[in-house]
Amino acid sequence: MKSNRSALVAVDLQGENAAGGVWQVAGYETILANAAKTIEAARAAGIPVIYSRHALDPAGHDAQRHEPRDAEGRPLASRSDSPAVGICDEVRPQPGDVVFDKQRFSAFYGTKLDLLLSQVDAEHLIVLGCWTEACLETTVWDAIWRDYRVTLVLDACGSFNTFAHKVAMLDMANWLYGGQILRADEAVKAMAGQPYRGWTFSEPHAMHYTAETVDSLYAQLGG
């Protein structure tokens, strides 16, 4: 995990994901705590930290054509005039970090993320955030299509329930060419240059999961 060729991408760690929010994520406090320690370790290792925010024009001019809207045509969620679109205080960006807005699930689609990564000569991305099967997963696929190596931080990602999160993680593991999956504590060790444990991609479609085996296979991703 070379600091001079890596970047950390934190996907949508926003207030809307908190309890009672429009995009409530299960176990969000724990996810934020794991994200915070991973992000701090990246900063300590000199790895650039880049945040995406899902933020739409309040009038919906840049929303998806079929985005759910209220009676006045405004998006029901993720409006840029709402305080809840801000990055959570637990993982607050620091001077030197970069924050950019996106209007579609993937952090690459229609954004400047490729340019940001080019500026720091990144070929390896440490990815964490929400929602695992939507914004996070589409970002990972777009990273793989662009030939980035991806390290997923297993317990710094989440969705509306743990089952959806686990299935999405297994889906990504099946096609994570050149990538690996680590828990936050192991990612911290890796970025500090210490020995660490994790799951490393070896062949496509290695996780032949069923509803009955999701939990046991997911446990293997922790290394």
Side-chain angles (χ1 to χ4, degrees):
M1 196 176 291
K2 298 178 181 179
S3 61
N4 65 334
R5 299 303 304 276
S6 297
L8 186 146
V9 179
V11 179
D12 302 0
L13 293 174
Q14 297 168 247
E16 288 186 323
N17 299 324
V22 67
W23 299 120
Q24 182 170 326
V25 168
Y28 196 40
E29 291 184 0
T30 299
I31 291 164
L32 288 174
N34 289 328
K37 71 173 73 172
T38 307
I39 291 168
E40 187 55 40
R43 293 192 187 110
I47 294 173
V49 176
I50 302 172
Y51 295 81
S52 74
R53 297 191 323 162
H54 198 80
L56 302 174
D57 179 88
H61 296 307
D62 54 7
Q64 294 183 61
R65 178 177 297 182
H66 304 295
E67 182 95 14
R69 301 171 188 252
D70 64 18
E72 298 178 7
R74 299 175 302 181
L76 297 180
S78 303
R79 295 203 301 263
S80 59
D81 59 351
S82 167
V85 303
I87 304 297
C88 290
D89 286 343
E90 293 89 336
V91 290
R92 183 186 301 112
Q94 301 297 313
D97 298 341
V98 178
V99 181
F100 70 94
D101 289 344
K102 65 184 183 66
Q103 290 73 45
R104 298 296 184 268
F105 287 1
S106 171
F108 283 96
Y109 188 89
T111 74
K112 60 184 179 182
L113 180 54
D114 258 332
L115 293 175
L116 295 171
L117 295 172
S118 176
Q119 286 290 314
V120 298
D121 198 26
E123 60 89 25
H124 166 237
L125 307 183
I126 303 160
V127 182
L128 51 84
C130 304
W131 282 33
T132 316
E133 81 284 9
C135 296
L136 186 98
E137 186 169 2
T138 54
T139 298
V140 168
W141 296 137
D142 278 351
I144 292 171
W145 309 156
R146 289 164 170 78
D147 291 329
Y148 292 103
R149 290 188 303 108
V150 173
T151 293
L152 283 168
V153 186
L154 187 71
D155 50 0
C157 304
S159 186
F160 68 99
N161 67 28
T162 56
F163 185 80
H165 162 73
K166 290 177 180 179
V167 169
M169 276 290 176
L170 291 170
D171 281 341
M172 287 185 283
N174 273 328
W175 308 104
L176 198 66
Y177 290 93
Q180 59 183 348
I181 300 177
L182 311 178
R183 295 190 183 278
D185 287 342
E186 300 302 317
V188 169
K189 294 176 187 177
M191 286 184 281
Q194 300 171 0
Y196 66 94
R197 295 176 55 199
W199 180 90
T200 302
F201 179 89
S202 58
E203 60 181 358
H205 208 260
M207 296 293 185
H208 290 243
Y209 64 84
T210 66
E212 291 73 26
T213 61
V214 163
D215 287 342
S216 60
L217 290 175
Y218 178 82
Q220 295 178 27
L221 298 180

